[in-house]
Amino acid sequence: MSNTTFPPLVAGNWKMNGTLASLDEAKALMARLDGKTPACDVMLCPPFTLLFKMGETLADSTIAMGAQDCHPKETGAHTGDIAAEMIAETGATACIVGHSERRTDHGESNELVKAKAEAAHRAGLVAIICIGETIDQREAGRTLQVNTEQLKGSLPEGANAANTIIAYEPVWAIGTGHTPTTDQVAEVHGHIRAELGGLMGAEEAAKVRILYGGSVKPANAQELMAVENVNGALVGGASLKADDFFGIIEAYL
Ligand code: 13P
């Protein structure tokens, strides 16, 4: 389901994949999209090292670009980190924050994710804030509670439908080939929409794009994207090959 203010978004999160040779996949995707007008925005989120080159590659296309993480601060003694302002310079217009792999691998708390989302906003980037439960949490009946906690803890002041996108990514669905049922997706997305209503008002919340992520493939994209309150996808593995990613975008053609 969509709304008229912002089109759905199909975003590819390349994670720690991609070298210069991978720009050919972006070019192949541009070729696949040539002359087509999907009813969704399309975005690629390569690793930091490819942002400038990817920005050049996508310059004449309709494909937007995002980064996968940022540091909360604008500058400073933070070896190995990248500021949101640096990302904005590459031509990126968005930044993923709070991906479960960062929450797990780097122990990122809701508080830190919120600071990163604030940094993205400060730099003029759309923050794509990821939330999602583990299988243990789901089996303990805590799915909605966990997603509420992460949403409330990670959403910065001033978040609105123009500067913020939520990605619901059940941790147990990421890279596993397992996806929730459409009823389960509808339940969590509807819950997130309702919680957003409490945080920013129902009118604004109705416009926020809520992406589903976790084992989205060409074979299941149409079904998942048709679920109420699903406004696009955040795609990992299947975004690495232009043909697969295009097969997902086709849900909006
Ligand atoms: P997969 O599509 O590989 O399951 O990854 C989903 C994801 O984590 C996107 O951010």
Side-chain angles (χ1 to χ4, degrees):
M1 194 189 80
S2 174
N3 57 65
T4 51
T5 312
F6 300 103
L9 170 67
V10 177
N13 174 10
W14 279 14
K15 308 190 179 184
M16 199 174 71
N17 299 289
T19 58
L20 285 176
S22 316
L23 295 172
D24 286 347
E25 292 299 329
K27 289 177 195 156
L29 182 64
M30 286 164 64
R32 296 297 301 260
L33 283 168
D34 192 36
K36 313 242 175 16
T37 47
C40 66
D41 290 340
V42 177
M43 181 185 287
L44 288 175
C45 303
F48 289 131
T49 48
L50 285 183
L51 283 174
F52 271 109
K53 281 278 184 198
M54 182 68 91
E56 285 169 21
T57 303
L58 299 178
D60 294 326
S61 80
T62 54
I63 304 171
M65 183 175 73
Q68 301 173 16
D69 181 44
C70 65
H71 191 277
K73 298 262 174 65
E74 193 171 344
T75 55
H78 303 288
T79 303
D81 280 316
I82 304 285
E85 283 74 9
M86 297 170 178
I87 291 166
E89 241 186 4
T90 68
T93 54
C95 185
I96 298 168
V97 295
H99 192 281
S100 67
E101 286 150 15
R102 294 207 61 86
R103 290 179 187 263
T104 303
D105 293 357
H106 300 274
E108 294 195 4
S109 63
N110 289 329
E111 194 181 18
L112 179 60
V113 174
K114 182 178 179 174
K116 291 181 173 200
E118 276 164 1
H121 291 167
R122 185 188 66 220
L125 301 171
V126 172
I128 303 175
I129 302 174
C130 303
I131 60 174
E133 80 286 354
T134 64
I135 193 64
D136 288 350
Q137 290 164 334
R138 176 165 281 275
E139 286 175 351
R142 297 183 54 225
T143 297
L144 299 184
Q145 181 195 336
V146 167
N147 280 284
T148 297
E149 281 166 12
Q150 290 186 4
L151 182 70
K152 287 189 170 165
S154 308
L155 198 78
E157 287 281 313
N160 59 41
N163 66 19
T164 302
I165 294 171
I166 306 299
Y168 168 55
E169 300 206 305
V171 177
W172 53 275
I174 295 176
T176 59
H178 301 301
T179 52
T181 64
T182 51
D183 282 353
Q184 288 172 325
V185 174
E187 181 189 30
V188 180
H189 278 241
H191 179 76
I192 292 169
R193 180 87 62 207
E195 291 289 341
L196 284 171
L199 295 165
M200 57 176 72
E203 197 180 328
E204 191 66 19
K207 298 186 230 160
V208 175
R209 285 171 287 183
I210 307 174
L211 313 184
Y212 168 77
S215 295
V216 179
K217 306 266 180 295
N220 61 21
Q222 202 145 12
E223 187 182 28
L224 287 165
M225 296 306 103
V227 175
E228 190 165 12
N229 286 308
V230 172
N231 313 114
L234 185 56
V235 185
S239 70
L240 295 172
K241 292 281 170 222
D243 286 349
D244 291 341
F245 196 42
F246 183 75
I248 292 167
I249 295 163
E250 274 187 312
Y252 289 104
L253 272 173

